[in-house]
Amino acid sequence: EVQLVESGGGLVQPGGSLRLSCAASGFTFSTYPMGWVRQAPGKGLEWVSTISGSTTKTYYADSVKGRFTISRDNSKNTLYLQMNSLRAEDTALYYCAKYFSVNSGSIFDYWGQGTLVTVSS
Amino acid sequence: EIVLTQSPATLSLSPGERATLSCRASQSVSSQLAWYQQKPGQAPRLLIYDASNRAAGIPARLSGSGSGTDFTLTISSLEPEDFAVYYCQQRISWPPTFGGGTKVEIK
């Protein structure tokens, strides 16, 4: 059974940093691209970032480019999102999501339950 | 970026009725469109990919159609568990984008 468990969210002041983690199990983690998708309170879904299985390729939404860094440790089956220079508009529930297949493009077939990031003074 | 517009924003129907949800893209996405369902307090769930392919475990009463810029998600006969918010999402170009969602509520 595929499981994705996020952690690391919390309350942080504007300008601060957080590192989110996503522990994966139930599939060959290193094979699949992984992504982060966020959802502001009461709002819709927004793709944030994607990383290839081999870690050689990373992609970012314009809204987070230069501030967030996605990475993965395939030996630990863990995905990360380092978030710096946080802004109030980054407040959201952050989901870790697995790609449907290696070459499927951005189809997310499994999602974690999310970790809440609140940016406020 | 490709903008996806979903309509209506809210659909009020009774169990057993047919639901028709629309997603329109600002430019062609070919058939590279997915649909997700989200219930309160839960993560999104993949329903349909590539416009018309049901994901594993998705019942046949849910179906997707369309290509290019106009897509439809149809639920042939609403069950109690179908009342939720539905999102479309394109994958043909970066960044992947989602529609604003359609809430299917009990009338």
Side-chain angles (χ1 to χ4, degrees), chain A:
Chain A
E1 178 193 4
V2 173
Q3 287 199 325
L4 300 170
V5 180
E6 302 95 335
S7 60
L11 175 64
V12 61
Q13 292 189 337
S17 298
L18 275 178
R19 188 198 199 198
L20 306 183
S21 299
C22 171
S25 61
F27 65 103
T28 307
F29 180 71
S30 60
T31 300
Y32 291 87
M34 296 290 295
W36 290 96
V37 177
R38 68 185 180 183
Q39 187 169 36
K43 302 297 184 182
L45 302 169
E46 179 189 17
W47 169 80
V48 173
S49 184
T50 289
I51 187 167
S52 64
S54 63
T55 79
T56 57
K57 295 182 179 179
T58 58
Y59 307 84
Y60 298 94
D62 285 347
S63 57
V64 307
K65 199 173 295 183
R67 301 187 298 122
F68 290 11
T69 302
I70 191 171
S71 62
R72 63 194 294 164
D73 185 336
N74 287 340
S75 69
K76 296 181 178 179
N77 288 355
T78 303
L79 176 71
Y80 303 101
L81 186 67
Q82 177 67 44
M83 304 187 296
N84 299 330
S85 303
L86 283 161
R87 306 166 180 167
E89 55 265 35
D90 296 317
T91 294
L93 187 63
Y94 284 73
Y95 293 105
C96 161
K98 171 188 168 291
Y99 272 59
F100 182 64
S101 72
V102 176
N103 298 309
S104 66
S106 298
I107 301 172
F108 305 104
D109 64 344
Y110 286 94
W111 301 61
Q113 285 304 302
T115 186
L116 182 62
V117 172
T118 303
V119 184
S120 175
S121 55

Side-chain angles (χ1 to χ4, degrees), chain B residues 2-6 22-30 33 68-71 88 90 92 97:
Chain B
I2 295 176
V3 176
L4 299 178
T5 302
Q6 292 188 242
S22 174
C23 177
R24 178 163 289 177
S26 60
Q27 62 191 79
S28 177
V29 299
S30 184
L33 189 104
T69 60
D70 290 298
F71 299 85
C88 58
Q90 64 81 20
I92 197 170
T97 51

